[in-house]
Every structure is written in C-alpha cells, then in structure tokens.
Amino acid sequence: MTPRRVVPLLLAAFLLIGTAGQAQAAGYRYWSFWDRDGGTWVYATQGPSMARPSDGDLQGFRFAVSENSGDAAQPRGTADFASICAKTPAEDGTKRVALVLDFGTAPDAPSGETPPAPRTACAQVSPDATTADALAAVAGPLRYNTNALLCAIAGYPKSGCGEQVSQEQETRDTPSASAQKNASDDGGPSLGLIAGISVIAALAAAGAWQARRRRNATR
C-alpha cells in the first residue's frame, strides 16, 4: 500500500471518529410552553411564572426532547377554548384560562417512566393570576428547580429537569444502544472511536508490511 493511498484512508478514519462524537449531541428534555394564536401554536416569549393570560386565552405545555425552541415539539390535538371551558361558566372577578397538557411520547420519557395521556383543563383564577397560578389550580403538583424552571406538571416526570439527552439515550431501548450508553457512562471510549482507532492500526500495519516486502525484494 503506497503512501498516496494510505493518507486518504487515514483522513477518512479521523472523519469517522469526529462524526461519531458529533452524533451523540441531541437536545434537552423539558416542558415547553406555548400560546395559541388563532389556529397556530406559538412558542411563549415568557415563562409561565411571568406570563399573565387574559380571560379566554388558550395555552399549552408539551414534554419532549428538543434542541431549541425552533424545533420544539408542539402540544398535540385540536382543542380550543370554547370546548375546554364549556362546562366552566364565567364568574365576576375571575378569568378562565384553557390549558392543553401534552405529556409527550414514550421515546421522550425519562428512563423507567411512562407519560400520562394528554389532557385539557379549564382554570378559573383571579384576574391577576399568572399561567403558573392557573396551572397549579388544575394540574398540581408542580415542580420547579432553583432557577424557577418548570420541571414537572401533575408530578410528571418524577425526577430530572431540563437535562441534556444524547442520541444514544434516546434510542436506549435497543441492546446495542444500551451497550454504547453504558460504555460512555463508565468513561470508556465510544464505539466510533474504537472503530476509527482499529482502522488506523490496520492501515499502519498494512503499510509496514508493504515496506518490508519492498526492502526484501531489493536485497
């Protein structure tokens, strides 16, 4: 094997290692907060503890793994304020806020937990109540972290709060993915790194063998 052929293959091996490392990054597991604007969900610009909805507003929450607000999963379903609050008559000195609570899918759930079925609720609260107040009235217990990030609605999930999730963790159901995750957790090298090193070692051995053959042939 000549040096001209070895160099491109070595570069390919290094690219394999780099790609394997990049593929592990995925996103964060958290509750996203949404406002309903007509027939469209819009990512909320304020947190639930700061937002003060008006009477007749529809807001939603979705638990999922997302990289950022641009790719965050929206609440599912087509419920509107009228249908959600149909059985909650208006009262003086209060406001009604319709809430859509989407606990997400099994692949997005923390290990060992099963997401509850999506549901809706109509919160009847004081006129100055925040979305967090409305949520606490109909979907407790809530859980927050020290930075006031909403971690759990109706007790789900039981633990964790906005933790980073790799693609290996997202596909943990498969034995091979579980093995990769365990190796990563133990501080061992990833499979991509091992494969890349193996390729480099094989190429180096082949080059040395070819060099010995050429030296023996010229003797």
Side-chain angles (χ1 to χ4, degrees), residues 166-218:
S166 70
Q167 288 182 350
E168 287 182 3
Q169 290 172 310
E170 287 187 83
T171 56
R172 62 182 177 273
D173 310 37
T174 62
S176 59
S178 297
Q180 291 179 30
K181 182 177 184 299
N182 291 336
S184 176
D185 289 344
D186 292 340
S190 68
L191 293 183
L193 179 60
I194 293 172
I197 292 174
S198 299
V199 170
I200 293 172
L203 289 172
W209 179 74
Q210 289 284 0
R212 286 197 300 271
R213 284 191 60 189
R214 285 197 296 271
R215 286 197 300 269
N216 293 335
T218 57

Side-chain angles (χ1 to χ4, degrees), residues 1-216:
M1 182 176 294
T2 65
R4 288 185 178 180
R5 295 181 61 188
V6 172
V7 171
L9 290 174
L10 287 174
L11 290 174
F14 282 117
L15 287 173
L16 173 63
I17 296 171
T19 302
Q22 293 174 359
Q24 294 179 4
Y28 297 86
R29 181 185 287 119
Y30 68 101
W31 278 101
S32 58
F33 173 37
W34 303 79
D35 290 314
R36 190 75 171 181
D37 184 6
T40 305
W41 284 112
V42 179
Y43 201 91
T45 58
Q46 292 181 304
S49 61
M50 298 294 294
R52 295 185 186 277
S54 301
D55 181 70
D57 279 354
L58 172 61
Q59 297 181 308
F61 291 85
R62 170 70 186 266
F63 189 78
V65 174
S66 307
E67 289 187 21
N68 51 56
S69 60
D71 78 335
Q74 300 179 2
R76 294 167 293 178
T78 58
D80 55 20
F81 174 84
S83 60
I84 295 174
C85 290
K87 297 182 179 180
T88 306
E91 293 183 4
D92 291 339
T94 68
K95 64 181 177 184
R96 294 174 298 165
V97 181
L99 299 172
V100 174
L101 309 177
D102 189 336
F103 296 84
T105 61
D108 286 339
S111 179
E113 296 201 48
T114 301
R119 62 187 177 91
T120 62
C122 183
Q124 193 159 38
V125 291
S126 63
D128 63 343
T130 64
T131 302
D133 295 330
L135 194 60
V138 296
L142 308 181
R143 178 166 56 86
Y144 293 88
N145 69 3
T146 55
N147 296 317
L149 177 66
L150 179 62
C151 303
I153 296 176
Y156 180 83
K158 296 178 181 178
S159 62
C161 191
E163 65 272 19
Q164 189 171 18
V165 180
S166 70
Q167 288 182 350
E168 287 182 3
Q169 290 172 310
E170 287 187 83
T171 56
R172 62 182 177 273
D173 310 37
T174 62
S176 59
S178 297
Q180 291 179 30
K181 182 177 184 299
N182 291 336
S184 176
D185 289 344
D186 292 340
S190 68
L191 293 183
L193 179 60
I194 293 172
I197 292 174
S198 299
V199 170
I200 293 172
L203 289 172
W209 179 74
Q210 289 284 0
R212 286 197 300 271
R213 284 191 60 189
R214 285 197 296 271
R215 286 197 300 269
N216 293 335

